[in-house]
Amino acid sequence: MTELTAILQGQIARSGPISVAEFMTQCLLHPEHGYYTTHQPLGAAGDFVTAPEISQMFGEMLGLCLAQAWLDQGAPAAFTLAELGPGRGTFMADILHATRGVAGFHAAANIVLVEASPSLRSVQQKTLLGYDVAWVQTVTELPYCPLFLVANEFFDCLPINQYIRTDNGWQEQMITAKDGALGFMLGRAAPVELFEDAPLGTVLETCPAAAAITADIARIIAAHGGAALVLDYGERQPVGDTLQAVQNHQKVDPLQNCGAADLTAHVNFRALENAANAFAQTAPITAQGVLLERLGITARAQSLAARLHGGALENHIAAHRRLTHPDEMGQLFKAIAITPKGAAQPAGFDT
Ligand code: SAH
């Protein structure tokens, strides 16, 4: 049993069962034993690999997309270049590298990283050495000025609530301690008004933090201009139980190894859209593979391939496939773009 599992069991014994959201928050961000507080999760030696860690082409394509959106909106002279949950800082490093030829972009950019984990902040600092970077804890600390923002695999680690359809209507899924282990149990009736006719056993997930963060970003973009590119795995609408734990590239039981495994849920893109559209506009949800192809990843892949041989060339071809092919990340991963109402949609998104 991990130390955090013992702490959660003690807490439940004292104060009663906890929600899935409370459980996720503790597992990921507990100040001493949380997964992101104590682990270096990314890369082959870590627990999972993200798109920017697969190939520089991911950051290059999306960096140029963001810079084009900045040009389309009149190249504002001072803007926030922000990333949510930057991991090792690779995505931002590739964005900065790809945009160094865009006249005025770097000079106007004030780089702000939203990162909760102190240990990942220090990794990001090393990756982005030579750039002037500021860190904040939450999006509520972002400056009120034009905002050009990216977020990759950030929204999937925000805490979700789960509700289950039972004979008594909807009941919240809770986590309790029994027989020396953590287990799921049904909580009180929940105020879920939607999906009245859902079959018994249906699981519904909500992510209030995702909606709140999206609304905060959309509010700044609506008032000051900008664009947000959000990429993650998920669906166009809720699809049931998607809570998953990953350790050492394998799926593991979410209730075991608290603080030692990454804990995520699929992103409900429709909910992000609804939150953003209250203030700004969104481009239609676009599959990652389609987006990267439209942004020119194949031409870039071919030009990089011309300089590679042997194993390096094979890895490069595999990386292109992994990012774009529908059987790999191309279809499961999706993107939305948030811009001010009436602004041009960012390059690569359906109009
Ligand atoms: N975007 C990166 C890393 C994804 S891992 C990549 O694509 O490689 C998730 C990142 O979000 C980590 O940096 C983690 O520390 C951060 N994070 C998770 N929950 C957070 C929260 N509530 N607030 C701020 N950062 C958070």
Side-chain angles (χ1 to χ4, degrees), residues 204-215:
L204 180 70
E205 296 180 340
T206 62
C207 187
I213 289 170
T214 306

Side-chain angles (χ1 to χ4, degrees), residues 12-333:
I12 291 167
R14 281 191 306 279
S15 337
I18 57 173
S19 67
V20 174
E22 166 76 6
F23 176 73
M24 276 184 87
T25 304
Q26 298 275 8
C27 288
L28 294 177
L29 296 175
H30 185 281
E32 278 166 68
H33 306 290
Y35 177 71
Y36 283 114
T37 330
T38 54
H39 283 68
Q40 300 292 341
L42 292 148
D47 292 307
F48 59 95
V49 178
T50 57
E53 303 294 334
I54 291 171
S55 167
Q56 68 190 67
M57 295 186 292
F58 181 80
E60 289 173 345
M61 294 302 117
L62 292 159
L64 291 172
C65 175
L66 205 62
Q68 181 64 54
W70 175 74
L71 290 169
D72 288 346
Q73 291 187 34
F79 74 95
T80 309
L81 176 59
E83 181 173 359
L84 310 184
R88 287 157 43 127
T90 311
F91 191 12
M92 184 53 79
D94 291 337
I95 289 172
L96 289 165
H97 191 68
T99 54
R100 68 201 184 290
V102 180
F105 187 73
H106 281 204
N110 168 30
I111 304 168
V112 180
L113 304 180
V114 179
E115 175 57 68
S117 156
S119 60
L120 284 174
R121 280 187 189 198
S122 65
V123 177
Q124 292 153 18
Q125 192 168 24
K126 287 196 193 92
T127 308
L128 295 168
L129 215 62
Y131 291 103
D132 198 359
V133 179
W135 280 267
V136 296
Q137 193 75 13
T138 73
V139 291
T140 55
E141 296 167 71
L142 287 172
Y144 289 104
C145 61
L147 174 64
F148 290 83
L149 174 148
V150 291
N152 182 59
E153 289 211 38
F154 169 78
F155 282 87
D156 63 71
C157 36
L158 296 176
I160 57 155
N161 295 109
Q162 289 188 324
Y163 302 97
I164 302 178
R165 179 76 196 200
T166 70
D167 287 333
N168 301 324
W170 290 96
Q171 285 177 269
E172 184 164 5
Q173 169 103 291
M174 304 293 284
I175 290 161
T176 188
K178 49 185 175 194
D179 308 327
L182 295 174
F184 289 110
M185 65 167 277
L186 287 173
R188 266 176 293 179
V192 176
E193 283 158 20
L194 296 167
F195 309 110
E196 278 308 324
D197 52 356
L200 288 181
T202 304
V203 176
L204 180 70
E205 296 180 340
T206 62
C207 187
I213 289 170
T214 306
D216 284 339
I217 294 167
R219 234 182 259 119
I220 297 180
I221 288 175
H224 303 279
L229 308 177
V230 174
L231 296 106
D232 222 307
Y233 50 96
E235 286 78 23
R236 291 180 160 83
Q237 62 256 317
V239 290
D241 179 9
T242 70
L243 185 69
Q244 70 171 34
V246 168
Q247 188 175 29
N248 199 14
H249 305 273
Q250 305 288 328
K251 282 192 185 174
V252 296
D253 184 334
L255 299 188
Q256 306 286 330
N257 304 307
C258 300
D262 188 33
L263 204 52
T264 65
H266 283 208
V267 171
N268 174 354
F269 277 88
R270 189 69 74 222
L272 299 192
E273 250 180 2
N274 290 341
N277 286 333
F279 307 98
Q281 68 178 14
T282 50
I285 300 160
T286 305
Q288 174 174 299
V290 172
L291 177 65
L292 292 174
E293 290 298 350
R294 286 182 185 156
L295 291 172
I297 196 171
T298 297
R300 178 64 177 145
Q302 283 165 351
S303 116
L304 287 171
R307 285 178 254 152
L308 298 171
H309 304 279
L313 179 59
E314 275 168 35
N315 286 346
H316 171 65
I317 292 167
H320 178 206
R321 184 187 150 89
R322 200 158 161 205
L323 290 178
T324 57
H325 197 281
D327 292 342
E328 304 225 21
M329 298 171 85
Q331 184 61 38
L332 175 61
F333 281 73

